[in-house]
Amino acid sequence: MRAIVADDAVLLRSGVVAILGDAGFDVVAAVGTGPDLVAAALRHEPGLVVADVRMPPTHSDDGIVAVREIRRSLPGTAVVLLSQYVEAERAVDLFQEQPSGLGYLLKDRVIEIDDFLAAVHRVAAGGSAIDPAVVARLIGRPQKVAPLDRLTDRERDVLALMAEGLSNGAIGERLYLGLRTVETHVNGVFTKLGLFPAAEEHRRVKAVLAYLSAR
């Protein structure tokens, strides 16, 4: 899969390029600004973009602006956004727009190479990945969405791990639960959030978005 890396920090950019290259990705461009990212994406049509949230020229949300433009022109592009800080609102907004093929990770996660690559591969395959620190920040907020208040503590634990992008099997391993038990809790989450029979992945995304959107 062709990939583009965008970050104005040269050392981090070079590190991500090396990690992706070693993992078998064909890194076709490495840039340092939002406009350069858009131009490179339109030229190379990559399958994956890994980009900093804050880049020149404004050092605010240039990465997000660039990614939105890329996904409008190349809707199949998988994106992993990297942020220095926990910016929960930005994560919620992005996942509400188009959750599939999208990841939002803190830059510290790059150091944990195996975890970083696991998230990248999941996003590249059309899944999603949200940094646990972002999820933790959202968990700590008062919940305004009534259906979430009806979840048991265990269902909330399961939903938090769903928000990290874990499969039912991985959730079971993390919580030391059998697969059938995890499936029961997941179905409980769907029922209490009013997400009735539909495609499993579709309901899963909606459940995570409901969770992330709670204030």
Side-chain angles (χ1 to χ4, degrees):
M1 176 180 285
R2 289 191 302 276
I4 291 176
V5 176
D7 197 303
D8 60 318
V10 177
L11 287 178
L12 180 63
R13 185 171 74 226
S14 299
V16 173
V17 168
I19 291 170
L20 293 179
D22 289 344
F25 289 91
D26 177 19
V27 182
V28 294
V31 299
T33 73
D36 285 345
L37 171 57
V38 174
L42 295 178
R43 182 166 63 253
H44 296 287
E45 297 188 6
L48 172 71
V49 168
V50 179
D52 187 11
V53 168
R54 300 188 179 195
M55 291 190 294
T58 70
H59 292 281
S60 57
D61 62 348
D62 298 87
I64 291 176
V65 171
V67 162
R68 284 184 172 133
E69 184 172 345
I70 291 168
R71 295 192 108 188
R72 279 194 297 267
S73 301
L74 305 168
T77 307
V79 173
V80 175
L81 280 161
L82 301 177
S83 178
Q84 187 69 42
Y85 310 101
V86 177
E87 300 174 277
E89 292 81 5
R90 295 178 188 271
V92 169
D93 290 343
L94 284 168
F95 279 85
Q96 284 177 332
E97 291 173 11
Q98 188 180 345
S100 60
L102 179 63
Y104 193 99
L105 305 175
L106 293 184
K107 288 187 175 182
D108 290 347
R109 198 68 53 194
V110 177
I111 299 173
E112 302 167 4
I113 295 177
D114 290 342
D115 290 343
F116 172 66
L117 285 175
V120 168
H121 282 295
R122 187 161 61 245
V123 170
S128 60
I130 306 172
D131 197 284
V134 176
V135 175
R137 173 70 63 85
L138 290 162
I139 292 173
R141 296 182 175 182
Q143 303 293 323
K144 292 182 180 179
V145 180
L148 291 180
D149 295 334
R150 296 199 291 269
L151 300 181
T152 65
D153 289 342
R154 180 57 82 191
E155 286 168 345
R156 189 175 289 274
D157 291 340
V158 168
L159 182 53
L161 293 176
M162 288 168 60
E164 289 183 29
L166 273 64
S167 66
N168 287 355
I171 290 172
E173 292 177 4
R174 183 77 66 87
L175 298 178
Y176 303 102
L177 299 173
L179 181 59
R180 194 174 295 275
T181 301
V182 173
E183 290 172 348
T184 297
H185 288 312
V186 169
N187 286 330
V189 170
F190 290 158
T191 299
K192 292 177 182 179
L193 295 183
L195 302 173
F196 298 106
E200 172 76 13
E201 190 62 28
H202 182 65
R203 287 199 293 174
R204 204 175 185 90
V205 169
K206 282 195 169 185
V208 169
L209 288 178
Y211 181 68
L212 292 176
S213 298
R215 296 290 192 270

